[in-house]
Amino acid sequence: MRQFVHVALAAAIAAAGTSAHAAWYEAKSNHFIIDGDIDPQVLGDYAKKLERFDQAVRMARQMPDPPLTDSGRLRIYVVRKAADWND
Protein backbone atom coordinates (compact mmCIF):
# COMPACT_ATOMS: atom_id res chain seq x y z
CA MET A 1 0.00 0.00 0.00
CA ARG A 2 2.82 2.39 0.85
CA GLN A 3 4.40 1.81 -2.56
CA PHE A 4 1.09 2.59 -4.27
CA VAL A 5 0.87 5.91 -2.39
CA HIS A 6 4.40 6.83 -3.48
CA VAL A 7 3.63 6.00 -7.12
CA ALA A 8 0.36 7.97 -7.01
CA LEU A 9 2.12 10.95 -5.44
CA ALA A 10 4.91 10.85 -8.05
CA ALA A 11 2.33 10.72 -10.85
CA ALA A 12 0.44 13.70 -9.40
CA ILE A 13 3.64 15.74 -9.12
CA ALA A 14 4.65 14.87 -12.69
CA ALA A 15 1.22 15.83 -14.01
CA ALA A 16 1.28 19.14 -12.15
CA GLY A 17 4.70 19.96 -13.58
CA THR A 18 3.59 19.58 -17.19
CA SER A 19 0.56 21.85 -17.05
CA ALA A 20 2.57 24.99 -17.91
CA HIS A 21 3.74 23.67 -21.30
CA ALA A 22 2.09 24.52 -24.59
CA ALA A 23 -0.27 22.05 -26.24
CA TRP A 24 1.23 19.72 -28.82
CA TYR A 25 -0.61 18.68 -31.96
CA GLU A 26 -0.04 15.89 -34.46
CA ALA A 27 -0.46 15.74 -38.22
CA LYS A 28 -0.28 12.40 -40.07
CA SER A 29 0.23 11.78 -43.75
CA ASN A 30 1.16 8.72 -45.81
CA HIS A 31 4.86 8.89 -44.95
CA PHE A 32 5.18 11.32 -42.01
CA ILE A 33 3.95 11.96 -38.48
CA ILE A 34 4.60 15.56 -37.47
CA ASP A 35 4.32 16.66 -33.84
CA GLY A 36 4.57 20.30 -32.88
CA ASP A 37 3.59 23.05 -30.50
CA ILE A 38 2.26 25.17 -33.37
CA ASP A 39 -1.10 25.68 -35.07
CA PRO A 40 -2.56 22.35 -36.30
CA GLN A 41 -3.36 23.94 -39.69
CA VAL A 42 0.32 24.86 -40.13
CA LEU A 43 1.32 21.27 -39.27
CA GLY A 44 -1.15 19.93 -41.85
CA ASP A 45 0.17 22.27 -44.55
CA TYR A 46 3.73 21.22 -43.73
CA ALA A 47 2.74 17.55 -44.04
CA LYS A 48 1.21 18.21 -47.48
CA LYS A 49 4.40 19.92 -48.67
CA LEU A 50 6.53 17.03 -47.39
CA GLU A 51 4.29 14.52 -49.19
CA ARG A 52 4.64 16.43 -52.49
CA PHE A 53 8.43 16.47 -52.04
CA ASP A 54 8.47 12.76 -51.20
CA GLN A 55 6.37 11.97 -54.27
CA ALA A 56 8.68 14.00 -56.52
CA VAL A 57 11.79 12.23 -55.20
CA ARG A 58 10.18 8.80 -55.59
CA MET A 59 9.17 9.61 -59.16
CA ALA A 60 12.62 10.98 -60.07
CA ARG A 61 14.40 7.97 -58.58
CA GLN A 62 11.76 5.49 -59.79
CA MET A 63 11.25 4.19 -56.27
CA PRO A 64 8.16 2.22 -55.19
CA ASP A 65 5.70 3.67 -52.71
CA PRO A 66 4.98 0.88 -50.22
CA PRO A 67 2.06 1.16 -47.79
CA LEU A 68 3.27 2.16 -44.33
CA THR A 69 2.03 1.79 -40.79
CA ASP A 70 2.74 4.33 -38.03
CA SER A 71 5.97 2.51 -37.20
CA GLY A 72 7.23 2.96 -40.77
CA ARG A 73 6.46 6.67 -41.02
CA LEU A 74 9.13 9.28 -40.35
CA ARG A 75 8.37 11.18 -37.15
CA ILE A 76 9.23 14.89 -37.18
CA TYR A 77 9.14 17.26 -34.21
CA VAL A 78 8.56 20.98 -34.78
CA VAL A 79 9.33 23.50 -32.03
CA ARG A 80 9.23 27.29 -32.07
CA LYS A 81 12.72 27.70 -30.63
CA ALA A 82 15.57 25.24 -30.20
CA ALA A 83 15.63 26.14 -26.50
CA ASP A 84 12.06 24.76 -26.19
CA TRP A 85 13.33 21.27 -26.96
CA ASN A 86 15.21 21.08 -23.63
CA ASP A 87 12.14 21.77 -21.47
Side-chain angles (χ1 to χ4, degrees), residues 9 13 21-23 33 36 39 46 55 62 64-65 68 70 75-76 79 82:
L9 181 61
I13 291 171
H21 295 289
I33 300 173
D39 185 341
Y46 188 57
Q55 183 181 14
Q62 298 177 355
D65 190 6
L68 299 174
D70 280 354
R75 185 171 290 270
I76 300 170
V79 293

Side-chain angles (χ1 to χ4, degrees), residues 5-57:
V5 172
H6 288 159
V7 171
L9 181 61
I13 291 171
T18 60
S19 62
H21 295 289
W24 279 67
Y25 301 99
E26 181 177 270
K28 287 186 181 181
S29 65
N30 291 341
H31 301 96
F32 305 98
I33 300 173
I34 307 168
D35 295 306
D37 62 346
I38 60 175
D39 185 341
Q41 182 65 40
V42 174
L43 284 178
D45 293 343
Y46 188 57
K48 289 176 187 174
K49 289 178 185 178
L50 282 173
E51 283 297 331
R52 283 196 301 265
F53 177 75
D54 181 77
Q55 183 181 14
V57 170

